[in-house]
Amino acid sequence: MDVEVRHLRAMVALADHGTHTAAAAALGVTQPTLSRTVRQLEYRYGRRLVLGGSSEFTDDGLAVVERARRILAELAALDRDLTSHGSVQLGFAWLLPDEWFRRVRNAMGDRDVSVQIRRLDDPLAAVVNGDVDAALHRNVLRKPPSGVSTRVIAHERRVLAVSRLDPELAKRRSVHWAKIPDRPVVVNTMSGSTTADSLPRSDTRRAVVECRNFDEWLELVAAGSGIGIVPEICMHRVVHPEIRYIPIPDAPATQVGLAWRSTPPPSRVTRAFLDTAIALGRAAMG
């Protein structure tokens, strides 16, 4: 028996959905059919891939899932390469740079390619898993995930976000980067642009309030749990009755990066999108 695409899809679906029943529903097959497909793959290699009576993978099973994701992503890229029209899935966590995105979308539209956006808590993970073709990220990557490339497409000025419950800060017109108020700082550990260790040194150890997405960050700052430091785009696009944004004129700029899978190589449509997106980003940065 040869390995077929259905075997790979069964393994990935089981990894993504956690149970045989949910994975079968996602693939549009019955649960016995999904279980039989997994057993066929185990029989083909003479190795246990999923522990009996569960959805827990063995080490061999995890290796199969990892490689299956790459193969399925490559097949999807091939499919897009051979179609006359295409689309690109762009992941983002929060606040697309609007002017850049408008120009990229229009440029790709002229080539009969649609750019579809997906809001994700962890867009980089979606790139790795092949769920999107590319993703924007504002968090600094000291080392990109294996098989992923990234390029800076924009720089953004920073502002301080404070709760109106803190009148001492809320009335300020601006603050200096070296004199960021000694308050707890709310940090979006998944996709935020500022980490605690990137802030200027404080005389005391600064408390950190962690969260995992932009909505949580917004509500924590509004509730007075801590201050936040975000790109200036937030001041213009995110209005919250309990938050005031204060300019930090001398703060170092944050970066907006564009990430994509370089292994396997992107499809022709994705490559065209990347070239356009990077070129327009460079033009905007001067």
Side-chain angles (χ1 to χ4, degrees):
M1 182 201 74
D2 293 329
V3 177
E4 301 175 13
V5 173
R6 63 188 177 90
H7 297 118
L8 305 182
R9 286 178 175 153
M11 291 291 288
V12 170
L14 189 55
D16 287 344
H17 296 280
T19 68
H20 286 73
T21 301
L27 293 176
V29 300
T30 64
Q31 185 269 326
T33 297
L34 179 107
S35 299
R36 184 167 58 251
T37 302
V38 172
R39 288 197 301 271
Q40 288 173 347
L41 194 58
E42 291 179 324
Y43 179 78
R44 168 66 176 80
Y45 290 106
R47 293 175 179 269
R48 177 71 70 182
L49 304 178
V50 180
L51 296 178
S54 76
S55 301
E56 184 177 349
F57 291 99
T58 64
D59 288 343
D60 288 330
L62 291 173
V64 169
V65 170
E66 181 180 1
R67 195 171 292 271
R69 290 190 190 279
R70 296 174 185 169
I71 294 171
L72 292 174
E74 183 69 6
L75 288 173
L78 175 63
D79 181 68
R80 289 194 295 272
D81 275 351
L82 297 178
T83 57
S84 57
H85 303 290
S87 65
V88 174
Q89 294 271 341
L90 176 65
F92 73 104
W94 45 282
L95 297 186
L96 284 169
D98 43 7
E99 181 62 19
W100 169 86
F101 179 63
R102 183 186 65 79
R103 294 187 178 193
V104 170
R105 185 182 58 184
N106 289 344
M108 297 309 296
D110 291 341
R111 304 172 69 165
D112 292 327
V113 175
S114 66
V115 181
Q116 301 172 5
I117 57 175
R118 290 183 60 188
R119 217 290 304 166
L120 303 159
D121 284 347
D122 191 351
L124 287 172
V127 169
V128 172
N129 294 336
D131 297 328
V132 295
D133 301 300
L136 292 179
H137 66 93
R138 288 184 170 91
N139 47 328
V140 176
L141 299 181
R142 293 181 176 84
K143 182 179 180 182
S146 177
V148 172
S149 295
T150 183
R151 190 73 58 86
V152 175
I153 61 155
H155 293 101
E156 297 177 314
R157 289 178 293 190
R158 284 169 158 156
V159 296
L160 179 69
V162 302
S163 171
R164 293 187 184 275
L165 299 175
D166 190 337
E168 180 185 347
L169 289 183
K171 66 184 180 182
R172 294 194 187 183
R173 293 181 179 273
S174 67
V175 295
H176 290 290
W177 180 247
K179 296 182 179 180
I180 296 296
D182 191 11
R183 304 280 201 283
V185 59
V186 182
V187 173
N188 173 357
T189 59
M190 189 72 73
S191 60
S193 59
T194 301
T195 59
D197 58 7
S198 69
L199 297 178
R201 290 187 178 180
S202 157
D203 292 337
T204 60
R205 184 178 179 85
R206 190 184 298 274
V208 177
V209 180
E210 295 186 347
C211 60
R212 293 177 61 82
N213 60 56
F214 182 75
D215 289 338
E216 291 177 2
W217 175 91
L218 193 69
E219 297 305 331
L220 286 169
V221 173
S225 298
I227 60 175
I229 298 174
V230 286
E232 189 180 46
I233 189 175
C234 293
M235 184 167 64
H236 305 298
R237 300 258 305 271
V238 181
V239 177
H240 192 295
E242 298 302 324
I243 289 181
R244 181 160 183 264
Y245 298 101
I246 304 171
I248 316 174
D250 58 345
T254 60
Q255 296 181 342
V256 180
L258 179 66
W260 67 93
R261 290 187 311 280
S262 49
T263 305
S267 68
R268 287 185 296 179
V269 170
T270 300
R271 185 69 259 175
F273 165 79
L274 294 171
D275 291 342
T276 300
I278 292 169
L280 289 174
R282 285 176 174 169
M285 288 189 293

